[in-house]
Amino acid sequence: MSFKKVAVIGAGTMGSGIAGQVANAGIDVWLLDLPSEGARINALAERGLERISDSNSPGLMSKAAAEHIHLGNTRDDFQQLADCDWVVEAIVERLDVKKALYQQLNEVCQEQAIISSNTSTIPIRLLIEDMPESFQKRFAITHFFNPVRQMPLLELVRGEHTSTEVIQVLDEFCDKQLGKGVIPCVDTPGFLGNRVGCFALQTARQAAIELQLSPQEADAIYGRPMGIPKTGVFGLYDLIGIDLMSDVAKSLVDTLPAEDAFHNEAAPVPLMETMISQGHTGQKQGQGFYRRQNGRNEAINLATGEYEPIPHRLAIPLADQAEKEGIQVLLADDGKYGQFAWRVLSRVLSYAASLIPEVGDTALGVDDSMKLGYNWVKGPFELLDDIGVDAFIARLESDGMAVPPFLDSARGSSFYRVHGGELQLRTAGGVWKPLQRAPGVVRFNEHRRTLQPQNSCEVASWFDLDGVAMVEFHSKANALDGDSMAILADAIAAVSSKGMRGLVVHNDAQHFSCGVNLGAVRGFFEADDLEGLDRFLDHFQQTVLSMARAPFPVVAAPVGMSLGGGFEVVLHAKQVICHANSNMGLVESGVGLVPGGGGCKETLYRWVEQLELESDISEASWKAFMNLGYGRTCSSPLLAREQAMLRLNDHYLNNRDRLLPAAIAAVNGSTEYGTQTPLQREPLSMPGAPLFEKMQSWLADALAAGKLTPHNVVTATELGRIVSGGDIEPGTLWSEQDFLDAERQSFLRLVRTQETRDRICSMLDSGKAVQN
């Protein structure tokens, strides 16, 4: 079922975000809030639209999506709800106010309209206890996570009388059209995500205070080394809002039974209460646990409440080692960081286990909620399997800590296993059952566990998926190096030699690839091995060129960021089927380089095609020059298409978990998501010296106006040389190989400059760029 008209009541952060995501799906939505005094009667709804239109955190995929949003207020526009298919309530968390609204909705909405609440704190039975059964049958809780566009988790809660059809309709719509990972939840306090996620934050906060760690130290451990986003605990408080997180914690304290372990970690922190009273609640207010003051980064001292200067990146060798080798490294340490890690993990993982079977009969819901709602790489039970169930239990017992029954039931075993070629999970009753996703949903990190790679190294692998080769990058940030490209080249060759049907390049990590490993580039120039660097660039170019020219289907299915060299891989696929939240672009100019893997070539060719140019391609050269020079990125496939980064035959899906089956279907000949377009390029007639001189003149003017630095000009001159042809005669024909040679030559010229080398080293040393 596809809704034709939706309404969201409440234009705050969550309500506006939900309305934005409905609009992204191409569906008309009314966004209503209370009327305001004065001329701007819809001021609250207008503010909601402004919030999701913010370019720094866009809740909308494009300006066209905003046209689907209609603003109004609950006094003058309530009748708009009469023909809505779905009405979402996202108003203040007050039971009396919600109940009054439901009475109004019952009078106005059509009988078949579905009603849902975004609450995460009020039980569904209390919300609708005064409503007739006909209303209760079409009512559910749809709890989204913030920011709605980016966070895939949706907790779906049914009431005692909610019809199965309503749940099925919401599940399918939110999955396929809003792109959510829908988790059915029992009506318990905090459901799944906030119940475990908030407990984890409270526990990490308390542990840091007890062990006298600084916020930066705590975030360095409770972060990437544990498979948790780098914001850690205190950075996440600042990101969400210290006041908002405190409200969530308070609601759980008020609703959870007295014996729940949450209360052990919920003691008020006087420092946080002071910060909230002073308005120091996080990033939106300019300061929280962290702030930037007088050009320097500072963090609050948790003991004194005073801000102290901190380095951009705190170097903790143990954290770096754990990020590479696994979480056991942390737990084997007997210093303060190891103590902190055990203090947090012992309680959080035990708490998660204690919730089974209260919140469900398997680990899957809890694990999914933490991965989809809090961006953990692995859920609590997956972490327990990594640590080893027996080892974890033994340490709990040695510390005199209780072992929850569900955890105890897994002694000598695990919570997940591969059996008979399928991935299975343990139930609360001790029975194993297959892990099954909705039809058309595949998470490759799960499917991978049942497969053996055809070829693999530390940074990449390729698999045979029933006659389709699939390449997966799996380095840190999926940065690319020579080994990555060797695996890709091997997969391309194998498709032909083994008679396979085609190639898919995909992974379901947070990001497809953030570019070439700059640490490898640094290694070349520090070893004075520019010939080796040239060979690496040539191999990269020829590998992606072989993708474009392959006599079989080639599909790239990226998620998250596809930047720099990662995007050059995407550009050479015959078809792209990407996630709706994909962020893509060629950003090499930011470190004083040019795209050296065919990106300049492809950018120019695509602008020529999009502008439908024939003999004079100067306009396309200027477009390419500007995009590449500014390192322009696009935050959605729709914007990418406008900038000639994607073509008309490329497609996007709202749910990232549906990308791999769609990509395989495209390889197999399905046209549901567009068609394969060959990338064999004919030579271009280049503008040559006259246009190159104009570009140089433009750069000189920009430098004189203070808009560019001298090295920006050096870098952009090389870009201009590539996309115009440089000093050649106008009309000279350039083949693809001519472009590739020019890219490598410009790349090497820039690497020889001290400014570019300094920028690369600075990015690497600060942790802003990747080195494996």
Side-chain angles (χ1 to χ4, degrees):
M1 174 181 178
S2 178
F3 298 135
K4 295 181 179 179
K5 183 179 178 182
V6 174
V8 179
I9 304 177
T13 299
M14 293 307 301
S16 59
I18 296 167
Q21 192 64 0
V22 172
N24 287 334
I27 296 168
D28 285 341
V29 54
W30 277 81
L31 179 60
L32 307 183
D33 210 308
L34 295 172
S36 299
E37 298 295 330
R40 294 180 58 201
I41 195 167
N42 296 328
L44 294 178
E46 291 169 4
R47 198 172 304 147
L49 179 58
E50 291 168 2
R51 185 181 294 111
I52 58 176
S53 302
D54 182 358
S55 60
N56 293 320
S57 181
L60 295 172
M61 290 178 60
S62 66
K63 292 181 180 178
E67 297 176 4
H68 289 287
I69 300 179
H70 309 276
L71 305 180
N73 66 80
T74 52
R75 183 189 65 199
D76 303 324
D77 302 293
F78 210 76
Q79 285 301 319
Q80 288 293 339
L81 308 182
D83 59 345
C84 283
D85 302 304
W86 180 28
V87 178
V88 185
E89 171 267 300
I91 64 174
V92 62
E93 290 290 86
R94 279 183 49 186
L95 182 59
D96 59 331
V97 178
K98 291 179 185 288
K99 283 186 171 184
L101 175 62
Y102 299 156
Q103 294 290 349
Q104 293 177 278
L105 293 175
N106 192 46
E107 295 175 4
V108 171
C109 294
Q110 56 186 340
E111 291 183 2
Q112 64 268 34
I114 294 174
I115 315 294
S116 72
S117 173
N118 186 60
T119 186
S120 65
T121 62
I122 303 176
I124 192 171
R125 60 178 177 79
L126 294 181
L127 289 174
I128 53 175
E129 60 185 355
D130 300 331
M131 302 303 297
E133 187 172 324
S134 59
F135 185 91
Q136 295 184 29
K137 285 182 178 179
R138 56 193 175 117
F139 186 89
I141 289 176
T142 49
H143 180 227
F144 293 82
F145 275 62
N146 185 48
V148 175
R149 179 184 167 194
Q150 283 77 23
M151 299 305 296
L153 178 59
L154 175 79
E155 295 176 319
L156 179 59
V157 185
R158 70 185 305 165
E160 180 183 358
H161 299 292
T162 309
S163 76
T164 298
E165 181 185 1
V166 164
I167 294 298
Q168 289 174 341
V169 167
L170 287 173
D171 190 332
E172 182 175 355
F173 178 81
C174 292
D175 166 359
K176 294 182 178 179
Q177 296 193 251
L178 300 190
K180 299 305 171 186
V182 181
I183 300 180
C185 292
V186 180
D187 189 21
T188 55
F191 309 137
L192 290 176
N194 283 341
R195 179 85 173 267
V196 178
C198 192
F199 179 87
L201 288 175
Q202 299 277 102
T203 301
R205 179 200 67 183
Q206 293 296 108
I209 294 172
E210 291 173 12
L211 293 169
Q212 299 181 356
L213 269 61
S214 69
Q216 198 175 27
E217 286 178 305
D219 289 350
I221 302 299
Y222 182 86
R224 285 174 171 166
M226 292 186 183
I228 293 170
K230 66 180 181 180
T231 48
V233 51
F234 295 103
L236 186 58
Y237 267 110
D238 278 1
L239 180 64
I240 296 175
I242 297 170
D243 52 342
L244 295 179
M245 282 306 305
S246 297
D247 288 344
V248 173
K250 184 179 183 303
S251 72
L252 288 168
V253 168
D254 291 343
T255 54
L256 288 169
E259 66 275 11
D260 194 279
F262 190 94
H263 298 289
N264 299 332
E265 307 296 334
V269 177
L271 172 62
M272 290 177 61
E273 293 178 338
T274 300
M275 293 170 70
I276 292 171
S277 68
Q278 294 175 342
H280 300 168
T281 55
Q283 290 183 8
K284 289 185 178 180
Q285 282 66 42
Q287 66 184 67
F289 289 107
Y290 296 98
R291 73 178 184 183
R292 186 163 180 82
Q293 188 87 346
N294 299 322
R296 68 181 186 181
N297 296 321
E298 296 180 342
I300 204 165
N301 184 307
L302 297 175
T304 67
E306 300 295 325
Y307 285 94
E308 298 172 347
I310 58 172
H312 178 80
R313 179 178 181 272
L314 183 64
I316 300 179
L318 177 69
D320 295 337
Q321 183 185 358
E323 189 174 351
K324 291 181 179 179
E325 300 177 17
I327 200 168
Q328 293 91 337
V329 171
L330 291 177
L331 299 181
D333 178 72
D334 57 6
K336 65 176 181 178
Y337 298 135
Q339 294 174 37
F340 172 72
W342 174 247
R343 164 73 164 79
V344 174
L345 288 170
S346 62
R347 302 188 186 201
V348 172
L349 302 187
S350 293
Y351 186 68
S354 74
L355 299 180
I356 307 296
E358 177 194 355
V359 299
D361 70 342
T362 74
L364 189 62
V366 173
D367 280 350
D368 278 355
S369 69
M370 295 310 296
K371 291 187 290 186
L372 301 181
Y374 282 79
N375 278 333
W376 286 23
V377 174
K378 295 183 177 181
F381 295 95
E382 291 170 314
L383 288 174
L384 281 167
D385 280 355
D386 281 355
I387 295 167
V389 171
D390 287 355
F392 188 81
I393 290 175
R395 190 163 177 182
L396 286 180
E397 291 177 333
S398 71
D399 288 354
M401 298 177 67
V403 179
F406 186 53
L407 176 58
D408 193 59
S409 72
R411 284 181 189 265
S413 185
S414 59
F415 292 101
Y416 296 87
R417 73 174 185 181
V418 175
H419 183 74
E422 68 178 4
L423 183 60
Q424 298 180 339
L425 62 161
R426 175 184 296 277
T427 68
V431 176
W432 291 94
K433 69 178 185 180
L435 193 164
Q436 294 181 328
R437 298 290 182 190
V441 169
V442 173
R443 295 181 187 168
F444 187 69
N445 62 68
E446 295 169 351
H447 188 38
R448 186 201 305 116
R449 297 181 62 174
T450 69
L451 303 170
Q452 288 295 324
Q454 300 298 301
N455 194 359
S456 183
C457 66
E458 186 177 356
V459 296
S461 305
W462 78 267
F463 300 82
D464 182 347
L465 303 184
D466 297 323
V468 175
M470 199 212 87
V471 173
E472 176 195 35
F473 303 131
H474 46 68
S475 60
K476 181 178 179 181
N478 291 327
L480 306 177
D481 59 16
D483 291 339
S484 312
M485 304 315 291
I487 292 292
L488 178 57
D490 185 60
I492 294 168
V495 173
S496 293
S497 65
K498 295 184 178 183
M500 302 175 77
R501 295 193 303 281
L503 173 72
V504 171
V505 188
H506 170 73
N507 62 71
D508 57 4
Q510 185 176 4
H511 300 300
F512 176 78
S513 172
C514 291
V516 164
N517 179 1
L518 285 181
V521 176
R522 181 183 190 173
F524 281 118
F525 68 68
E526 288 187 340
D528 199 23
D529 184 16
L530 294 193
E531 289 185 3
L533 178 56
D534 187 42
R535 287 193 297 272
F536 163 69
L537 291 173
D538 182 60
H539 180 248
F540 191 112
Q541 292 175 342
Q542 297 309 315
T543 299
V544 296
L545 193 61
S546 67
M547 285 175 54
R549 295 179 174 179
F552 49 77
V554 178
V555 179
V559 298
M561 292 184 182
S562 304
L563 302 177
F567 188 48
E568 287 176 305
V569 173
V570 173
L571 284 170
H572 287 83
K574 296 180 181 180
Q575 185 180 8
V576 177
I577 301 177
C578 63
H579 184 222
N581 290 344
S582 294
N583 192 310
M584 54 192 71
L586 297 168
V587 296
E588 287 85 349
S589 62
V591 289
L593 292 171
V594 299
C600 299
K601 165 186 72 73
E602 273 304 305
T603 299
L604 179 57
Y605 270 106
R606 287 170 182 241
W607 274 118
V608 170
E609 292 171 354
Q610 184 153 316
L611 297 172
E612 298 182 343
L613 303 177
E614 295 181 2
S615 56
D616 183 0
I617 66 166
S618 297
E619 184 182 359
S621 295
W622 269 109
K623 293 278 192 181
F625 177 63
M626 289 298 177
N627 273 15
L628 296 170
Y630 283 113
R632 189 162 288 153
T633 60
C634 292
S635 60
S636 81
L638 297 176
L639 299 178
R641 188 170 288 155
E642 292 174 6
Q643 295 299 320
M645 296 181 189
L646 293 178
R647 298 169 299 163
L648 292 177
N649 71 305
D650 296 326
H651 195 82
Y652 72 88
L653 296 177
N654 286 322
N655 192 329
R656 58 181 286 156
D657 292 335
R658 293 183 173 274
L659 288 179
L660 181 56
I664 292 174
V667 167
N668 290 335
S670 170
T671 58
E672 180 179 357
Y673 307 107
T675 58
Q676 299 274 313
T677 299
L679 286 174
Q680 185 74 36
R681 304 299 200 180
E682 296 298 323
L684 290 178
S685 176
M686 300 301 291
L691 181 61
F692 186 41
E693 290 172 3
K694 290 180 181 179
M695 290 176 172
Q696 290 175 299
S697 177
W698 185 90
L699 291 171
D701 291 343
L703 176 64
K707 296 178 180 178
L708 297 176
T709 68
H711 198 66
N712 290 151
V713 174
V714 172
T715 304
T717 298
E718 295 298 337
L719 288 168
R721 192 187 313 277
I722 298 166
V723 299
S724 69
D727 295 321
I728 63 174
E729 287 292 323
T732 302
L733 293 179
W734 266 25
S735 67
E736 286 189 279
Q737 190 58 52
D738 289 323
F739 282 106
L740 297 177
D741 292 342
E743 287 184 17
R744 292 202 322 280
Q745 292 162 11
S746 288
F747 193 101
L748 292 171
R749 274 193 292 270
L750 289 168
V751 165
R752 289 187 178 97
T753 68
Q754 191 59 47
E755 176 73 17
T756 289
R757 294 186 178 196
D758 289 344
R759 288 191 186 188
I760 290 173
C761 292
S762 175
M763 292 285 285
L764 290 168
D765 293 342
S766 67
K768 293 181 180 179
V770 175
Q771 54 185 342
N772 292 323

